[in-house]
Amino acid sequence: MSNADGLARSRFDRSLATAGIALGDLLVLSAFLTVGSINHGVDPIASPGYVAETIAPFLVGWVVAALVSGAYAPDATRTVGTAVVRAVTTWIPAAAIGLTLRSTDFFHGSSPVTFIIVISIVGTVCFSAWRGLVAYAR
């Protein structure tokens, strides 16, 4: 086993439980961004592509940040405290990446200061609650 293999295993637990957490993360991300879209007058049934394009940059950000932060490491949800810290240390850079991508011509939208504040706080609360519940249930 190479050092790279060892590092990958320590940063990513390849278990069914981790797959469930990843699916939950995707649902949390999709849910709060869809609710935000609805609050801004977007009908997700009539405009699923628009909502998907809203979610996409933050999903890219989450994947990148999760790999760096160890969001799917074996100990990521060992305790409630660890789970919440890992959620925050993943979401904040994920949001930054998503906000940066939204500011390009590749995605619709922009990143005004109010949106930066709202997305950072709401995402932190949602991911912390979800990950904390996972750890608590273990």
Side-chain angles (χ1 to χ4, degrees), residues 40-85:
H40 288 280
V42 176
D43 179 352
I45 304 300
S47 304
Y50 187 89
V51 174
E53 192 175 327
T54 300
I55 295 167
F58 295 100
L59 180 58
V60 169
W62 181 265
V63 169
V64 170
L67 293 173
V68 173
S69 72
Y72 301 109
D75 68 341
T77 57
R78 184 166 290 145
T79 68
V80 172
T82 300
V84 170
V85 167

Side-chain angles (χ1 to χ4, degrees), residues 29-45 47-55 58 102 108 115 119:
L29 180 70
S30 298
F32 87 78
L33 289 170
T34 300
V35 168
S37 294
I38 292 167
N39 286 339
H40 288 280
V42 176
D43 179 352
I45 304 300
S47 304
Y50 187 89
V51 174
E53 192 175 327
T54 300
I55 295 167
F58 295 100
R102 264 180 71 98
H108 68 260
F115 184 65
I119 201 81

Side-chain angles (χ1 to χ4, degrees), residues 68-122:
V68 173
S69 72
Y72 301 109
D75 68 341
T77 57
R78 184 166 290 145
T79 68
V80 172
T82 300
V84 170
V85 167
R86 199 67 58 101
V88 173
T89 59
T90 303
W91 176 245
I92 296 302
I97 293 167
L99 289 162
T100 301
L101 290 173
R102 264 180 71 98
S103 296
T104 68
D105 292 337
F106 296 108
F107 297 96
H108 68 260
S110 61
S111 297
V113 173
T114 53
F115 184 65
I116 293 169
I117 293 167
V118 169
I119 201 81
S120 298
I121 292 171
V122 172

